[in-house]
Amino acid sequence: MIKNCRNVKIIGTGSYIPKKVLTNDDLEKIVDTSNEWIIARTGISERHLAEDNETTSDLSSKAALKALKDANIEPKEIDLIIVATNSPDMVFPATACLVQEKIKAVNAATFDLQAGCTGFVYALIVAWQFISAGFYNNALIIGAETLSKFVDWTDRNTCVLFGDGAGAVILKAKEEKGILSGYLGGDGSKADMIMLPAGLSKNPASHETIEKRMHYVKMKGNEVFKNAVKSMKRSTIKALEKCNLSVKDVDCFIPHQANIRIILVVLKVLGIKKDKVFINLDKYGNTSAASVAIALDEAVKEGKIKNNNIVVLTSFGAGLTYGSIVFRWNK
Ligand code: UT7
């Protein structure tokens, strides 16, 4: 049983997608691939890419301002900012500090959270605990990526998959219950399945790391696929059990937007009907830590989530990490 002191709910959402579009046809000119292969194997039609001078904190700030407006709350009322990202502007300072300055959230504590594509779910659960415990009142949680800058555009195994974007929510202490439950997991024995090997303490930048293209995302796609299904199933069931709900109670299921085939298998193994799932990966590809954050904002704005609906966000990613959060939507 989770014993929290205060109830916490999402009072606003926002997202920002960079303007530049890269279609599957464009990719055919860059690597040995085809529109047919990408659609059949992943479900992705196009993805958006940040401009050269556009950073993760830029995308984050734009999504954050929309979420603040949606929540009808001023930046100075925010007392915590967490940016979940795997593609920060710099190793330090944290991207959250740069966002704080850009949106003038002058009273906020700031840090980044890195948990692969599961980062946004991890960050929501961390912020929920802070607010529930009475430590903070209003939190801005962002999932944002510019992974296009870390993708090897000569590697067809990875470059067709990823896209850039940001999603944000505002969490607030409230009388009525919003967030009901969550479950987080990790398996470091599978750390080698998705990694960006160089540039930090294990492999500091050198001529050799550059020649070996070690500053780009490396992934064992097939192995990740199998683990993705298992871990999203596990964390969804665990999170629902913790608040005495079952998959039958779920009104809107928002899985990590990595691959349509993964999503369809997860629906099947969980027994969730197709009309309950929200999918937008055809437009954006895999935006990693931003994926479920953007999807949540779009699902709300498109009226796919209605008051009193039970919503589940579930994700998996590098680490390997995985996690789910369950909430009742009552904005
Ligand atoms: O956010 C978490 C991050 N990662 C993921 O979610 C990734 C999870 N994994 C996947 O989504 C899938 O495993 C992929 C989409 C990455 C790959 O799909 P797959 O069905 O597992 O393909 P595969 O890796 O088994 O490759 C099948 C074939 C191979 O050719 P051969 O060896 O059979 O001749 C690949 O070389 O497809 C080839 N291939 C491609 N062909 C055309 C791999 N990438 C491409 C490509 N275009 N882009």
Side-chain angles (χ1 to χ4, degrees), residues 78 121 177 186 243 254 312:
I78 295 294
V121 175
K177 245 187 182 166
C243 55
I254 304 186
V312 174

Side-chain angles (χ1 to χ4, degrees), residues 129-168:
Q129 303 314 306
F130 268 122
I131 300 176
S132 173
F135 201 83
Y136 292 123
N137 291 316
N138 301 319
L140 163 61
I141 311 306
I142 302 166
E145 301 284 5
T146 51
L147 272 177
S148 64
K149 297 175 195 242
F150 304 96
V151 162
D152 185 344
W153 291 102
T154 67
D155 176 13
R156 69 176 184 174
N157 292 296
T158 51
C159 75
V160 303
L161 304 174
F162 295 98
D164 300 336

